Amino acid sequence: GTLFPYPTLFRSFTRYIGCDFAVSVDTRRDYSVFVVAGMDQWGMLHIRKVIRDRLDSLELLNMLFELNRTYQPALIFMEKGVIDKSLGPILNEMMIKSGKYLSTHAIAPTTDKRTRAQAIRARMRAGGVKFDKKAEWYGDLETEMLRFDRDIHDDQVDAMSILGLGLDRMVEAPTNKEIEDEQWEIENKAALEAEWGHDRSEITGYW
């Protein structure tokens, strides 16, 4: 089946990954989270995958390299403090030894989690974020977002926040007019196909 429950006519994606790392030797440590997203040409953000697990430093970095190989993101957003204090030197060494270089961007968020979440929340309120609600990870993510900041764990929201902050510095959320235009194209898919032909690739957008 398709990843998203709506047509992908003329749609292309630029991929990004938002990360929240819990670097600790404590077995009760928080979860580390990786949020994989695709930004389409209309500025709509599609959350494609969420990985949430308790990982040590080496496992974290191996996961980063695996996600980079699989999704080839334009940028990987992560918190500046974690990179400066712990993972940065190891990550640089692994990139040099492997010859595989990750495009990372360190974000220096505020200490107030509600404030740092404003960017992604604003994008969501504007209708600029879509989720695969049938995915196995969606239920836990939705529950955590609804309970934020009243629950023990908020690592998935933190990863979403890092993603939102990174994108805010690079890509504007779609306007209401752009959202309406996209919806019109989806609703008129049949007419567009009749006008432009049926041989256009849904992946590349070319004939």
Side-chain angles (χ1 to χ4, degrees):
T2 58
L3 184 62
F4 300 112
Y6 40 82
T8 57
L9 185 65
F10 311 149
R11 194 184 300 276
S12 62
F13 296 97
T14 302
R15 299 180 185 92
Y16 302 94
I17 298 177
C19 308
D20 179 60
F21 298 143
V23 183
S24 170
V25 296
D26 188 346
T27 57
R28 296 169 298 177
R29 63 183 179 267
D30 257 348
Y31 291 91
S32 291
V33 178
F34 305 83
V35 175
V36 181
M39 181 78 73
D40 67 25
Q41 63 266 47
W42 294 286
M44 186 68 67
L45 184 67
H46 303 257
I47 306 302
R48 304 188 64 177
K49 190 176 184 65
V50 177
I51 297 172
R52 181 176 184 259
D53 202 355
R54 288 189 170 100
L55 305 169
D56 62 29
S57 296
L58 183 58
E59 291 170 333
L60 280 173
L61 294 176
N62 284 334
M63 178 66 75
L64 268 182
F65 277 89
E66 177 62 22
L67 291 174
N68 186 71
R69 184 189 67 80
T70 301
Y71 294 100
Q72 299 181 348
L75 279 173
I76 301 173
F77 301 114
M78 53 190 71
E79 189 171 345
K80 182 176 174 59
V82 175
I83 293 301
D84 289 345
K85 296 177 182 178
S86 57
L87 295 180
I90 307 173
L91 175 60
N92 290 336
E93 182 179 353
M94 290 178 69
M95 288 193 292
I96 293 171
K97 286 184 176 179
S98 67
K100 306 294 183 183
Y101 293 90
L102 282 59
S103 297
T104 62
H105 183 72
I107 301 292
T110 62
T111 54
D112 177 24
K113 294 195 174 190
R114 292 186 67 87
T115 300
R116 76 169 73 172
Q118 286 303 311
I120 193 65
R121 291 176 69 181
R123 191 177 290 270
M124 290 172 64
R125 282 196 299 268
V129 182
K130 295 193 179 206
F131 299 87
D132 179 7
K133 295 186 177 181
K134 294 182 179 179
E136 60 181 357
W137 47 261
Y138 178 73
D140 287 341
L141 174 63
E142 181 183 40
T143 298
E144 188 174 302
M145 289 191 297
L146 291 173
R147 292 179 179 174
F148 180 76
D149 52 352
R150 305 181 305 276
D151 207 350
I152 297 175
H153 295 293
D154 53 15
D155 29 67
Q156 294 179 95
V157 173
D158 285 344
M160 290 284 293
S161 298
I162 291 291
L163 178 64
L165 287 169
L167 291 175
D168 244 27
R169 300 177 184 181
M170 301 174 48
V171 184
E172 293 183 358
T175 64
N176 289 334
K177 178 64 165 56
E178 290 169 334
I179 294 173
E180 290 172 1
D181 289 345
E182 180 193 8
Q183 187 61 38
W184 181 90
E185 182 171 311
I186 291 172
E187 292 173 352
N188 291 274
K189 178 184 179 184
L192 288 169
E193 287 180 337
E195 180 178 353
W196 292 100
H198 297 275
D199 297 325
R200 181 187 287 266
S201 168
E202 291 190 349
I203 297 174
T204 65
Y206 296 104
W207 282 279

